[in-house]
Amino acid sequence: MTAEIRYVAPALRQWCSAAVPFAVATVVGVSGSTPCPVGTVMAVCATGEVAGGVAGGCVDGAVFTAAQEAIRSGRAHRSRYAHQSDAAPIVGLACRSEIDVVVLPAAVDVLTPLLDRLLANQTVGSALVLPADRPAALLVADPNRLWGSSGDAEVDEMVACRLRVPASHGGRQIERLVGARGRPVDVLLVGHQPAPRMLLYGMSPVARAMSQLGRFLGFDVTVCDPRPTFMQAGHFPDAHQVVCDWPHRHLSSIDVDARTVIVVLSHDDRHETELLSLALRGRAGYVGVMGSRVTQRERLLRLTAAGLTADDLCRLRAPIGLDLGAQTPQETAVSICAELVAVSGARGTGRPLTYLDGPIHRHAGAPVG
């Protein structure tokens, strides 16, 4: 499974604490249709344990071997993996694409500040400096400090300045800098933002399934319902926060941004209008609510009477989810999360790939990290 470093941070932090040598492989270039955007990582420790992955299949096997060699030698390694047109059993990609991968022995003193901030859900930036005439180097920065060095003070200063922008806005990009004596240096800049929030309002079996999938997808998941009997942490083991409060009061007390997902799963008309009014007038990037089409028509009348405009109402996704024929709570959660993925960054159509042309994997611009 491909991954960004946030998803493998717990394993890497454990290796750092245990002083187990390891190496981190990072995708630094892609072309064609690949499942691995720039910044995808795979880590291998000296015991042979693996966290993450870059492309799957034989490429990950080759990267595993390169990582073991980097651990033994202490030297960085860079390779390009490309499609092979013949049937020979050699390393390559089956999807007529190419990826460049850098394998770097872990510098614990540099990685630890990055991992600690990722695990604390804080904003931080990282840079993989890729000079042509010396080994790659990892740099990490927050607003107050820079960890690591590329060996070129000018490049370090430029990287520190640039990291603050990607870190605050998220994203990944390759940038060419000019260092000492006019030498060009390519740098992979990655901004690691806090995990986006998923707010699930209303206790239900769908909420339990959504909390599982939401955490799996990398959201910071909150489940909120006013009934103390149901709002126990044991009922939602995958949620990051379980809150016993009226949903509209909870929503009004927290910060919401464009990456926030709000899913209303209750069937309480008494407070739904106030909750949805707050959600649709706020900054949340996704607002969806359960209910039949009849319920939705009645809901729109109530929201209109509450003063919401046509533009406000156009933001509401109801009935929520994609048409997958879902029946069970788990299938319903998949339907909702499928819609979330499809509309995130306007990346997908939600239609079967069988009936579409064009690339399967679209890593448009700088993917959010």
Side-chain angles (χ1 to χ4, degrees), residues 273-297:
T273 299
E274 188 171 359
L275 172 61
L276 289 176
S277 296
L278 284 170
L280 294 171
R281 287 170 173 151
R283 298 171 56 203
Y286 180 100
V287 180
V289 60
M290 294 276 284
S292 67
R293 298 192 185 280
V294 172
T295 299
Q296 173 62 1
R297 286 194 291 269

Side-chain angles (χ1 to χ4, degrees), residues 22-262:
F22 64 97
V24 179
T26 305
V27 176
V28 298
V30 299
S31 64
S33 177
T34 72
C36 47
V38 166
T40 299
V41 300
M42 170 179 163
V44 178
C45 76
T47 62
E49 188 177 351
V50 177
V54 294
C58 55
V59 171
D60 279 11
V63 171
F64 177 85
T65 301
Q68 289 183 313
E69 175 57 31
I71 294 170
R72 284 193 296 266
S73 67
R75 295 193 298 269
H77 183 274
R78 182 168 184 169
S79 297
R80 172 168 293 183
Y81 302 98
H83 169 73
Q84 305 294 339
S85 59
D86 57 35
I90 55 179
V91 175
L93 292 167
C95 49
R96 298 190 180 276
S97 57
E98 295 183 356
I99 61 172
D100 286 336
V101 178
V102 167
V103 181
L104 199 63
V108 174
D109 58 333
V110 179
L111 263 177
T112 299
L114 171 62
L115 299 173
D116 285 346
R117 282 154 181 77
L118 291 176
L119 292 171
N121 212 22
Q122 297 174 355
T123 297
V124 64
S126 66
L128 192 58
V129 183
L130 307 166
D133 57 346
R134 58 187 182 279
L138 176 69
L139 281 69
V140 173
D142 66 13
N144 303 310
R145 186 175 172 187
L146 177 72
W147 291 267
S149 174
S150 66
D152 186 326
E154 292 184 35
V155 169
D156 291 353
E157 184 176 351
M158 287 187 285
V159 166
C161 291
R162 282 161 173 76
L163 276 181
R164 293 186 182 102
V165 176
S168 62
H169 296 288
R172 311 168 194 172
Q173 62 190 49
I174 295 284
E175 187 170 336
R176 177 157 290 183
L177 307 179
V178 178
R181 294 181 291 279
R183 286 186 236 173
V185 179
D186 289 333
V187 181
L188 169 60
L189 300 167
V190 182
H192 307 276
Q193 290 183 294
R197 305 185 78 163
M198 176 180 283
L199 307 175
L200 304 176
Y201 289 118
M203 194 293 299
S204 70
V206 175
R208 290 196 187 98
M210 283 292 299
S211 66
Q212 290 179 301
L213 284 180
R215 189 181 190 113
F216 179 75
L217 291 173
F219 286 93
D220 185 88
V221 180
T222 296
V223 183
C224 177
D225 189 283
R227 296 168 292 177
T229 301
F230 300 109
M231 297 316 291
Q232 300 177 26
H235 292 168
F236 298 94
D238 296 288
H240 296 85
Q241 297 89 31
V242 177
V243 178
C244 184
D245 198 356
W246 291 104
H248 64 277
R249 187 162 62 189
H250 174 263
L251 182 58
S252 65
S253 70
I254 62 173
D255 293 327
V256 171
D257 62 23
R259 300 189 304 148
T260 301
V261 167
I262 298 175

